Amino acid sequence: MHPAPSVIIFTTLSGLGFGLLVFLGLGFPAVSGWIAFVFFAIAYALAVGGLMASTFHLGHPERAWKAFTQWKTSWLSREGWCAVLALIFMGLYALGLVFLDQKWSLLGLIGALFSLATVFTTSMIYTQLKTIPRWNMNLTPVMFLSFSLAGGALLAGQTSVAIPLLLIAALVQILYWRKGDQAFASSGTDLGTATGLGARGSVRAFEPPHTGTNYLLREFVYVVGRKHAEKLRIISFVLAFVLPVLLLVLPFNHVFALLAVASHLAGVATSRWLFFAQAEHVVGLYYGKR
Amino acid sequence: MTQLPTSTERKMGLVIDLDTCVGCHACVISCKGWNTENYGAPLSDQDAYGANPSGTFLNRVHSYEVQPAEGHAQLIHFPKSCLHCEDAPCVTVCPTGASYKRVEDGIVLVNESDCIGCGLCAWSCPYGARELDQAEGVMKKCTLCVDRIYNENLPEVDRVPSCVRTCPAGARHFGDLGDPDSDVSKLVADRGGMDLMPEMGTKPVNKYLPPRPKDTVEDQIDILAPLLAPVAEEPKGFLGWLDKTLEKL
């Protein structure tokens, strides 16, 4: 799959922002006044910034509001609803904390649940696609949720929770890569089933339909950079999990905490790039490609 | 709405004969020609006369080589367009309701004024049947020439999809695959029509007729060949004497 920057920025930043909102909604850290304002401002900047970025790849962003209509079947529509509801509930909760010195815990709890639901619905947009075996796995939502919660705990300064959550996310990441590498082969789809000619012998793509490229090849058959995938995996793993955990284990220091967040963000962004760049769509088979 | 109808009154679709298709790409050109100037946004090209031409097509013809365990390889031309699936994943993923499947004939269409160009329907289609038009920013797909098949301004013979009307080999057939007595359904039953990627659970309406088995090549291809074998291999008479004498020298 083509790793569009808009989608990588969106899933990375929004995941982190909504993760932070989960912790703020549950009252960790228990902030109020201007400190609360700063925390909520960061969370909203990440969550809303990510959502804005996601509209950049649309052919007609001015019609994006229509995406709220099909929540009965579409995960993308459900994601839109969850995000808006999370931001509304958390906004009211923040209003109480920042300006009225009131803690409306129920609003925070509802907001936290919708924040989690937003991350889950985002992950389901990818998980539902049978056409991309590497995404069509139970581990995909687990990965999105574990990353979001680990990042949220890190941003919320909840060191004691952040370390185990980072370790869980690291484990999920390893499992996701291991299982994902076999997903296409074990999906049972090959050029034989794609053409229906598999029972007659081995099928080979002899001639493509056209000499140039097309939308399908640009969007679904992205092979550039796959050769560095192994190195990028190591880099992303070290940045997202190893360094932040080490920095958290050291005696607390604001510089270390900031470095841990920056490192985690860069690592998750790299992992997300791989999530798209390594994903293989079955339509590539028709072109004799993966 | 992007909820799929539980059933459709008819299942209009194509039956493509892989035995007959000669790979001429006439269907590709006639499809582009008809659909770029009729229903919906035109099918744009980018850099059409430059070094990297690329454009939107609703129908493309691939060619595959099948090598059986024994015997000769076979070349099979393979036209591919929207299969108008019964369980069309492209419809249910659409966030705006732009993608829909018609109850009356099962045709899957895009309402272009509702399409936001998010591309998710193309991601969900295993067959590569949908292409996002680069000029218009909306999703394009085969309409089964919905603007031809019911068009009473056209002569009756033309009220079929453009690709079917054009095919010089008669490799494309159009009809109601939901009616077991229709010509296309009988053709599918006779020839063992098949689904593409049945494991995806999309239940395609369009069917493909597999190539018929090739004739077997017998040992002797040409019955005249034995008569053409050289008659005299060893020279006799004077030439024979000359040959032997020269050998001895």
Side-chain angles (χ1 to χ4, degrees):
Chain A
M1 299 295 290
H2 170 65
S6 61
V7 191
I8 294 169
I9 293 170
F10 157 59
T11 59
T12 307
L13 296 189
S14 286
L16 207 57
F18 283 110
L20 176 55
L21 285 177
V22 171
F23 283 91
L24 292 175
L26 297 175
F28 303 103
V31 283
S32 63
W34 289 107
I35 299 174
F37 180 81
V38 172
F39 269 107
F40 279 102
I42 293 170
Y44 269 72
L46 291 169
V48 178
L51 288 170
M52 299 267 284
S54 76
T55 63
F56 293 162
H57 80 285
L58 297 181
H60 284 276
E62 78 282 3
R63 300 178 191 156
W65 62 271
K66 292 189 177 186
F68 289 106
T69 59
Q70 304 302 312
W71 51 271
K72 280 186 186 168
T73 64
S74 170
W75 282 105
L76 182 50
S77 186
R78 289 170 195 162
E79 180 205 35
W81 274 110
C82 287
V84 166
L85 289 172
L87 293 174
I88 290 173
F89 280 108
M90 291 306 289
L92 293 173
Y93 175 69
L95 205 69
L97 283 179
V98 174
F99 299 108
L100 306 171
D101 204 22
Q102 292 287 321
K103 191 179 174 190
W104 297 318
S105 300
L106 184 63
L107 279 182
L109 182 66
I110 296 171
L113 285 175
F114 274 117
S115 298
L116 269 185
T118 305
V119 177
F120 175 71
T121 46
T122 303
S123 71
M124 283 309 290
I125 295 171
Y126 306 108
T127 309
Q128 68 178 336
L129 298 170
K130 279 188 193 163
T131 49
I132 302 164
R134 193 187 282 275
W135 292 353
N136 189 225
M137 304 194 296
N138 293 335
L139 271 174
T140 307
V142 179
M143 182 173 75
F144 273 71
L145 286 168
S146 66
F147 276 39
S148 175
L149 287 174
L154 192 62
L155 270 180
Q158 304 300 300
T159 314
S160 58
V161 192
I163 293 173
L165 282 176
L166 280 168
L167 293 175
I168 290 170
L171 183 69
V172 172
Q173 174 70 93
I174 289 171
L175 290 174
Y176 178 82
W177 282 334
R178 284 190 59 181
K179 201 160 169 239
D181 287 345
Q182 294 141 22
F184 204 108
S186 58
S187 74
T189 297
D190 55 26
L191 190 49
T193 68
T195 57
L197 300 168
R200 313 169 72 88
S202 67
V203 188
R204 182 169 77 93
F206 186 78
E207 258 181 330
H210 38 80
T211 50
T213 186
N214 67 10
Y215 166 74
L216 300 170
L217 290 170
R218 285 190 298 268
E219 187 78 356
F220 300 124
V221 187
Y222 183 86
V223 289
V224 184
R226 272 191 205 159
K227 64 174 179 175
H228 295 304
E230 284 305 314
K231 280 179 206 163
L232 284 168
R233 278 185 179 182
I234 295 168
I235 291 170
S236 102
F237 192 80
V238 168
L239 287 175
F241 309 113
V242 179
L243 268 181
V245 169
L246 287 177
L247 288 164
L248 290 184
V249 169
L250 294 171
F252 182 78
N253 175 322
H254 272 105
V255 179
F256 286 174
L258 196 66
L259 278 177
V261 169
S263 168
H264 179 73
L265 185 64
V268 172
T270 313
S271 164
R272 267 314 126 72
W273 187 87
L274 286 166
F275 178 77
F276 288 96
Q278 288 201 294
E280 300 150 316
H281 195 292
V282 293
V283 78
L285 292 169
Y286 285 110
Y287 289 85
K289 294 174 177 170
R290 283 277 291 272
Chain B
M1 281 297 276
T2 49
Q3 281 165 296
L4 286 165
T6 47
S7 67
T8 56
E9 289 161 30
R10 288 181 298 158
K11 295 177 187 171
M12 302 311 285
L14 299 176
V15 173
I16 294 169
D17 191 343
L18 298 179
D19 193 64
T20 312
C21 176
V22 294
C24 70
H25 293 241
C27 56
V28 177
I29 302 306
S30 87
C31 167
K32 177 118 175 175
W34 177 267
N35 285 294
T36 202
E37 54 191 26
N38 288 286
Y39 178 98
L43 304 171
S44 72
D45 291 315
Q46 280 70 44
D47 198 17
Y49 303 101
N52 293 303
S54 156
T56 310
F57 285 80
L58 311 183
N59 177 32
R60 295 182 189 263
V61 179
H62 297 250
S63 297
Y64 298 105
E65 183 192 71
V66 179
Q67 176 64 63
E70 279 176 33
H72 300 287
Q74 193 174 0
L75 188 65
I76 293 163
H77 302 294
F78 195 94
K80 186 163 60 60
S81 54
C82 174
L83 308 175
H84 297 277
C85 303
E86 285 181 57
D87 270 346
C90 55
V91 170
T92 51
V93 298
C94 177
T96 67
S99 248
Y100 62 105
K101 185 169 175 70
R102 300 191 348 157
V103 180
E104 60 269 40
D105 51 18
I107 299 178
V108 177
L109 289 177
V110 175
N111 177 354
E112 289 174 7
S113 59
D114 276 353
C115 176
I116 57 172
C118 69
L120 194 54
C121 55
W123 290 20
S124 75
C125 173
Y127 311 109
R130 288 172 170 247
E131 301 190 14
L132 188 73
D133 189 81
Q134 298 303 293
E136 205 69 28
V138 295
M139 199 54 74
K140 299 298 295 184
K141 68 175 294 299
C142 162
T143 66
L144 217 56
C145 284
V146 70
D147 49 355
R148 285 177 70 100
I149 59 177
Y150 303 117
N151 192 338
E152 293 184 0
N153 294 318
L154 296 176
E156 202 170 340
V157 68
D158 286 332
R159 288 180 214 158
V160 291
S162 184
C163 56
V164 175
R165 184 76 181 95
T166 294
C167 180
R172 304 177 72 96
H173 308 271
F174 168 68
D176 181 6
L177 287 144
D179 171 7
D181 297 324
S182 68
D183 287 348
V184 281
S185 293
K186 285 181 195 160
L187 195 57
V188 169
D190 285 352
R191 295 277 307 281
M194 58 188 185
D195 289 347
L196 305 186
M197 287 194 206
E199 71 277 12
M200 286 282 160
T202 51
K203 292 200 250 161
V205 169
N206 284 14
K207 303 287 179 216
Y208 283 75
L209 305 179
R212 293 183 175 94
K214 284 267 190 187
D215 284 346
T216 47
V217 180
E218 286 166 23
D219 293 340
Q220 194 60 62
I221 298 174
D222 190 342
I223 52 164
L224 292 175
L227 304 176
L228 294 173
V231 177
E233 275 161 15
E234 289 290 319
K236 286 175 184 147
F238 171 72
L239 283 176
W241 171 81
L242 192 62
D243 184 48
K244 278 179 201 159
T245 314
L246 287 171
E247 286 284 336
K248 281 176 190 164
L249 283 175

